[in-house]
């Protein structure tokens, strides 16, 4: 495997003079020194950029290129990649020896994220930017994600593993509270969960809030209108946490506490079940409020005891907490005529109860707002 430096020219004519611990560039009779320990630099001072490539002879990466064009040599092909911010590797394909031209393909990804598409071939060479991923640091089937301009990387662990190199096997992570209990320094982010404790074949991704009220919250959904947590159980990376459309599977998460976050104001509240016996949504959809007893509140008006509903009806679906008034436990389709206590709910299908209520009476039409619900 050969290695060499390519200097991309963004705004000035440059000549690379050396590449050890420093990179010296001669530009218009002046010499500039750059940190040569980095393998990629773009939009650098003085409008210069460079990359340190590895050449993989007789190989190519079979992914859709950003662009393809005829190039006279590897230098021209590699330089074009340096000058294009979306490019992270190159295929250089021989076309015609008599004409001295070859096909240059600028690629939007690398062989570390697409290892199954990195293949041997007779008439092509592949250029990849040097990265710590070259040493294959990630274990247990994880993927190495290069952070090129930081000369760093991280390992995207498969379900059941964690650690810097995915070297540690998770015994059983049922929910975000388990993660927080095992690792008190765990940070907010996406984690693999496996509530049934099986072989991880049905594990799923969920966002864990590790900071609010001491952390450990499994965040179930974010919506500015409706949510159906019983059936909307699949995380979609196009809808990250905090964006309308974020969903995950909270049906089998045992909880004694429920949190509501108003993203419009940043306000948060949570409720704790008085009996301290855990609840699972999957076996409690549609039950009346008396099935869950009364709940204490943290972060809002404590003028009322509170009650919980877990609903999946045409009238209302989702988690709802509201005051216990008139000695009346609510049902999913009957809210006891409670026009005074605070509600925490998503929208009903009824035009009378549309909108998202956060710490305001929700037995009336309210405006939409972005809200998330989490369990612990």
């Amino acid at each position: 495997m050969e290695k060499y430096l390519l200097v991309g020219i963004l705004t000035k004519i440059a000549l690379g003079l050396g590449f050890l611990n420093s990179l010296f560039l001669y530009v218009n009779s002046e010499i500039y020194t750059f940190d040569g320990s980095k393998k990629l630099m773009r939009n650098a001072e003085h409008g210069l950029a460079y990359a340190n490539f590895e050449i993989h002879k007789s190989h190519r990466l079979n992914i859709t290129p950003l662009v393809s064009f005829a190039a006279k040599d590897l230098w021209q092909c590699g330089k074009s990649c340096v000058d294009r911010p979306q490019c992270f590797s190159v295929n250089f394909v021989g076309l015609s020896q008599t004409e001295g031209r070859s096909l240059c393909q600028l690629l939007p990804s690398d062989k570390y994220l697409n290892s199954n598409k990195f293949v041997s071939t007779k008439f092509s060479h592949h250029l990849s930017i040097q990265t710590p991923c070259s040493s294959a640091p990630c274990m247990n089937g994880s993927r190495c994600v290069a952070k090129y301009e930081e000369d760093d990387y991280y390992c995207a662990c498969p379900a059941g593993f964690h650690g810097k190199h995915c070297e540690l096997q998770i015994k059983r992570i049922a929910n975000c509270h388990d993660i927080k209990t095992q690792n008190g320094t765990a940070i907010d982010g996406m984690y693999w969960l496996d509530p049934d404790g099986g072989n991880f074949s049905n594990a799923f991704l969920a966002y864990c809030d590790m900071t609010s009220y001491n952390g450990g919250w499994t965040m179930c959904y974010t919506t500015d209108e409706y949510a159906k947590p019983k059936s909307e159980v699949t995380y979609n990376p196009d809808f990250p946490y905090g964006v309308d459309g974020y969903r995950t599977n909270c049906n089998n998460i045992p909880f004694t506490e429920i949190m509501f976050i108003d993203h419009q104001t940043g306000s948060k509240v949570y409720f704790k079940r008085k009996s301290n016996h855990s609840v699972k949504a999957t076996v409690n959809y549609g039950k009346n409020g008396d099935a869950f007893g009364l709940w204490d509140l943290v972060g809002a008006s404590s003028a009322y005891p509170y009650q919980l509903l877990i609903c999946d009806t045409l009238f209302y679906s989702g988690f709802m907490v509201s005051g216990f008034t008139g000695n009346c436990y609510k049902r999913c389709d009957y809210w006891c005529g409670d026009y005074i206590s605070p509600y925490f709910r998503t929208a009903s299908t009824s035009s009378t109860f549309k909108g998202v209520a956060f710490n305001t009476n929700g037995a009336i039409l309210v405006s939409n707002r972005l809200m998330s619900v989490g369990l612990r």
Side-chain angles (χ1 to χ4, degrees):
M1 184 187 302
E2 298 180 7
K3 300 180 180 180
Y4 71 100
L5 170 71
L6 286 175
V7 179
I9 307 165
L10 299 182
T11 60
K12 299 180 180 179
I13 299 174
L15 174 65
L17 299 179
F19 189 78
L20 294 172
N21 292 324
S22 297
L23 170 65
F24 302 95
L25 297 178
Y26 179 75
V27 183
N28 297 342
S29 301
E30 296 184 47
I31 294 180
Y32 299 99
T33 304
F34 292 86
D35 179 6
S37 65
K38 292 186 176 181
K39 305 303 187 292
L40 173 68
M41 182 177 288
R42 287 184 169 124
N43 298 323
E45 187 181 3
H46 309 297
L48 298 169
Y50 69 81
N52 202 5
F53 283 96
E54 295 178 348
I55 305 176
H56 308 271
K57 292 184 176 180
S58 301
H59 281 80
R60 67 176 291 142
L61 184 61
N62 284 332
I63 62 174
T64 303
L66 294 166
V67 66
S68 300
F69 61 92
K72 62 181 180 180
D73 53 32
L74 274 172
W75 193 93
Q76 182 185 13
C77 188
K79 175 190 169 298
S80 298
C81 181
V82 175
D83 289 342
R84 193 178 185 106
Q86 300 85 6
C87 180
F88 293 99
S89 64
V90 163
N91 287 330
F92 186 72
V93 186
L95 292 178
S96 171
Q97 292 183 348
T98 57
E99 296 180 7
R101 307 290 287 182
S102 296
L103 179 68
C104 177
Q105 296 180 329
L106 306 186
L107 307 178
S109 188
D110 58 35
K111 68 188 187 75
Y112 307 106
L113 293 179
N114 303 273
S115 58
N116 61 326
K117 298 179 181 179
F118 187 60
V119 298
S120 299
T121 182
K122 187 175 181 180
F123 301 107
S124 179
H125 302 315
H126 182 72
L127 274 65
S128 64
I129 300 170
Q130 287 189 42
T131 165
C133 287
S134 303
S135 63
C138 301
M139 303 168 62
N140 293 309
S142 59
R143 296 190 302 170
C144 189
V145 181
K147 300 165 73 173
Y148 284 104
E149 297 199 45
E150 301 173 35
D151 197 30
D152 199 1
Y153 68 97
Y154 70 89
C155 297
C157 300
F161 294 91
H162 68 113
K164 170 69 174 176
H165 301 112
C166 307
E167 73 278 14
L168 303 175
Q169 186 169 8
I170 300 171
K171 293 181 179 179
R172 181 176 185 267
I173 298 296
N175 52 64
C176 297
H177 187 252
D178 276 5
I179 297 174
K180 187 68 173 180
T181 300
Q182 294 182 27
N183 179 9
T185 62
I187 62 174
D188 295 349
M190 300 301 300
Y191 292 84
W192 284 98
L193 303 181
D194 183 34
D196 67 6
N199 61 4
F200 291 100
S201 62
N202 59 348
F204 57 88
L205 280 168
Y207 185 89
C208 294
D209 181 330
M210 297 302 194
T211 52
S212 299
Y213 302 111
N214 297 317
W217 297 94
T218 304
M219 303 310 296
C220 304
Y221 54 83
T222 302
T223 182
D224 63 2
E225 195 171 13
Y226 305 102
K228 294 183 70 65
K230 185 175 183 178
S231 56
E232 297 172 349
V233 296
T234 303
Y235 169 69
N236 184 338
D238 292 334
F239 300 99
Y241 170 73
V243 171
D244 179 34
Y246 164 79
R247 301 289 190 271
T248 196
N249 189 354
C250 280
N251 285 313
N252 289 295
I253 302 294
F255 68 98
T256 58
E257 298 170 316
I258 182 168
M259 177 173 66
F260 296 84
I261 297 178
D262 178 2
H263 293 282
Q264 183 170 314
T265 64
S267 299
K268 305 176 184 181
V269 298
Y270 82 92
F271 302 85
K272 182 177 179 63
R273 192 181 188 192
K274 285 182 177 291
S275 72
N276 206 33
H277 293 145
S278 63
V279 176
K280 282 187 180 181
T282 189
V283 293
N284 285 292
Y285 281 103
K287 291 185 178 180
N288 297 345
D290 58 353
F292 313 113
L294 298 179
W295 297 63
D296 292 322
L297 172 146
V298 177
S301 170
S302 57
Y304 305 91
Y306 286 84
Q307 57 182 303
L308 170 73
L309 290 176
I310 308 173
C311 303
D312 186 55
T313 68
L314 291 176
F315 175 72
Y316 181 77
S317 65
F319 297 93
M320 184 176 89
V321 171
S322 60
F324 179 67
T325 61
N327 201 33
C328 180
Y329 280 104
K330 295 180 175 71
R331 305 193 306 261
C332 289
D333 59 354
Y334 175 65
W335 296 351
C336 295
D338 175 11
Y339 293 98
I340 56 173
S341 81
Y343 282 59
F344 300 82
R345 65 160 178 82
T346 52
S348 166
T349 56
S350 168
S351 59
T352 306
F353 306 106
K354 283 189 177 295
V356 175
F358 182 93
N359 199 26
T360 188
N361 185 260
I364 56 174
L365 174 69
V366 295
S367 61
N368 285 349
R369 63 178 56 231
L370 191 65
M371 185 170 73
S372 292
V373 177
L375 306 178
R376 183 173 70 181

